[in-house]
């Protein structure tokens, strides 16, 4: 079985709604004939205009976060059903910035992963180590723990449909990209863990992205690694460069 590559943009807190629609329209012809699945994960307030602008194209719109509860008194939060209703297909969960600045724990990420699947959303589940953890030699142990907790009570069918994004924190927004060897080593370890948890078929199907300073100049080298099935792209997804990354080959 060969996995379909998935290239996802993570706009973070960039682009107001008016620019969101305009940029998606600009991107449509640039990615129209892509072999890879193309997703733009946008700020919540950009979702409606982005979905509208992407209509009829191969660009899917994702969210950057969501809450795990169905509805109710959670001021400022967005429920899974709201994303589905707005036309969202994917949702980034457990990004390191959410963990660091908004105190998201592995347990919260797990609740969000369960909620995403319960509503038919594909989660892009993020994991990654700090520079200190890498230097201490605990990268693989750390990532294994993040993934094990994120996938608690997730069925094999769901796990096979999940997307995991390995994003070393020291490589995010720093221009300091992991070497293809470093990225492959961790993505391979993640696939091995998925095999331990769910068996070889799920391990073969689950898609694992690399993220952290992905750019047109390094995408081909990273994405040609056997266990890397695409990328989660921050800074470079805000520019037409994203089209070049989507056509990485
Ligand atoms: P970057 O961000 O590509 O700007 O390093 C990646 C991410 O945080 O998803």
């Amino acid at each position: 079985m060969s996995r379909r590559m998935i290239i996802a943009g993570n706009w973070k807190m960039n682009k107001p709604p008016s620019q969101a629609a305009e940029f998606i329209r600009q991107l449509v012809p640039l990615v129209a004939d892509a072999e890879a699945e193309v997703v733009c994960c946008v700020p919540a307030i950009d979702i409606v205009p982005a979905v509208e602008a992407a209509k009829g194209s191969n660009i899917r719109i994702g969210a950057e976060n969501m809450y795990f509860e169905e509805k109710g008194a959670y001021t400022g939060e967005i429920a899974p059903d709201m994303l589905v209703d707005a036309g969202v297909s994917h949702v980034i969960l457990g990004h390191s910035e959410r963990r660091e600045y908004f105190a998201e724990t592995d347990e919260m990420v797990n609740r969000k992963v369960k909620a995403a699947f319960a509503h038919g959303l594909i989660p892009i589940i993020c994991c990654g180590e700090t520079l200190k953890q890498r230097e201490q030699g605990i990268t693989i142990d750390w990532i294994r723990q993040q993934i094990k907790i994120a996938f608690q009570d997730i069925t094999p069918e769901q796990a096979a449909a999940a997307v995991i994004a390995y994003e070393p924190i020291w490589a995010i927004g720093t221009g300091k990209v992991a070497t293809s060897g470093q990225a492959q080593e961790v993505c391979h370890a993640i696939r091995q863990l998925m095999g331990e948890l769910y068996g070889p078929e799920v391990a073969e199907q689950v898609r694992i992205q690399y993220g952290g300073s992905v750019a047109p100049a390094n995408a081909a080298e990273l994405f040609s690694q056997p266990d890397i099935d695409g990328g989660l792209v921050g800074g470079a997804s805000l520019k037409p460069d994203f089209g070049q990354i989507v056509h990485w080959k």
Side-chain angles (χ1 to χ4, degrees):
M1 202 215 102
S2 74
R3 295 178 293 271
R4 185 165 180 219
M5 300 287 286
I6 175 165
I7 316 292
N10 173 12
W11 289 8
K12 309 193 178 185
M13 199 172 73
N14 293 292
K15 294 192 192 292
S18 55
Q19 287 176 23
E22 196 181 302
F23 182 66
I24 295 286
R25 278 194 295 269
Q26 193 184 349
L27 217 49
V28 166
L30 301 180
V31 304
D33 54 350
E35 272 175 45
E37 197 174 336
V38 181
V39 186
C40 290
C41 299
V42 306
I45 199 166
D46 292 349
I47 287 172
V48 170
V51 166
E52 184 60 35
K55 253 187 202 142
S57 80
N58 59 331
I59 300 176
R60 316 286 297 277
I61 301 300
E64 298 176 10
N65 178 37
M66 66 170 202
Y67 200 46
F68 46 74
E69 294 290 358
E70 299 279 319
K71 62 174 176 177
Y74 304 101
T75 303
E77 291 298 318
I78 295 185
D81 260 352
M82 296 176 184
L83 296 181
V84 172
D85 185 78
V88 160
S89 54
H90 296 68
V91 57
I92 298 174
L93 296 176
H95 190 280
S96 58
E97 288 151 17
R98 302 251 9 127
R99 295 176 190 259
E100 185 182 350
Y101 306 130
F102 303 96
E104 277 194 19
T105 63
D106 287 328
E107 287 71 22
M108 284 166 73
V109 174
N110 175 241
R111 291 183 77 170
K112 291 182 177 197
V113 172
K114 284 191 272 197
F117 279 123
H119 293 273
L121 291 162
I122 300 294
I124 299 176
I125 304 161
C126 301
C127 60
E129 82 287 2
T130 61
L131 186 58
K132 188 166 175 216
Q133 288 168 326
R134 175 158 286 272
E135 285 167 357
Q136 287 171 327
I138 59 169
T139 296
I140 304 286
D141 290 340
W142 175 257
I143 303 287
R144 281 176 63 93
Q145 167 158 325
Q146 286 187 317
I147 297 294
K148 273 187 193 172
I149 301 174
F151 280 84
Q152 250 163 30
D153 303 319
I154 297 302
T155 68
E157 292 70 30
Q158 292 170 335
V163 177
I164 299 171
Y166 166 55
E167 299 203 304
I169 294 169
W170 47 271
I172 294 178
T174 57
K176 203 172 146 190
V177 65
T179 65
S180 55
Q182 287 171 324
Q184 162 60 22
E185 183 195 12
V186 179
C187 291
H188 179 72
I190 294 170
R191 197 175 302 287
Q192 211 164 23
L193 172 60
M194 293 304 278
E196 288 168 31
L197 297 174
Y198 294 105
E201 273 182 37
V202 170
E204 193 52 37
Q205 285 174 52
V206 67
R207 290 180 295 174
I208 306 174
Q209 297 174 315
Y210 166 79
S213 300
V214 173
N218 58 36
E221 167 75 17
L222 289 161
F223 298 171
S224 58
Q225 300 302 309
D227 287 298
I228 300 181
D229 307 313
L232 183 56
V233 185
S237 74
L238 298 169
K239 297 174 280 185
D241 284 18
F242 188 61
Q244 294 174 47
I245 295 173
V246 163
H247 293 287
W248 58 278
K249 261 186 199 162

